Amino acid sequence: PLAAENFRSLCTGERGLVPHGHEGAGKPYHFKGKHFYRIIDMFINQAGAGTDSVYGGMFKDDPGGLQLKHDRAGLLSMANMGPDTNTSHFSIMVNAAPHLNG
């Protein structure tokens, strides 16, 4: 799935630098040195690379991924601004969050 490969690539840093004209231009496609920027008690911890996705912009939701439920703590989830707006931001669920399903 696209989201899993995007996250994996951002963990390894193997995609190199963000090209000119994209969010984070000149920075590495990498989570190294990044901090959680949003921590909401009993809900989520969010972080991101401050870049586009490794695909060069926003990418579409994985249809199979939308069937998974935010039903327990410890789950990794893409953080986005709505349908098909995935980039380099993610959330770690600290609790169940059914309102994020689908």
Side-chain angles (χ1 to χ4, degrees):
L2 293 174
E5 177 58 19
N6 182 59
F7 184 81
R8 189 198 66 75
S9 294
L10 289 164
C11 287
T12 67
E14 66 193 54
R15 300 287 180 115
L17 299 178
V18 178
H20 180 72
H22 291 268
E23 182 186 353
K27 295 179 182 177
Y29 281 120
H30 205 295
F31 287 136
K32 183 178 181 179
K34 301 301 177 187
H35 304 279
F36 286 96
Y37 60 82
R38 185 175 186 208
I39 298 172
I40 301 175
D41 189 40
M42 301 304 294
F43 178 37
I44 58 173
N45 296 336
Q46 287 185 327
T51 68
D52 286 340
S53 74
V54 298
Y55 308 118
M58 294 180 184
F59 64 94
K60 294 186 178 235
D61 297 327
D62 291 316
L66 294 176
Q67 295 173 13
L68 301 174
K69 304 299 179 203
H70 295 84
D71 59 358
R72 62 191 179 280
L75 296 177
L76 180 68
S77 182
M78 289 298 304
N80 57 44
M81 299 175 292
D84 302 327
T85 60
N86 302 293
T87 59
S88 67
H89 302 271
F90 69 94
S91 302
I92 296 175
M93 307 311 302
V94 179
N95 221 336
H99 63 284
L100 297 179
N101 293 342

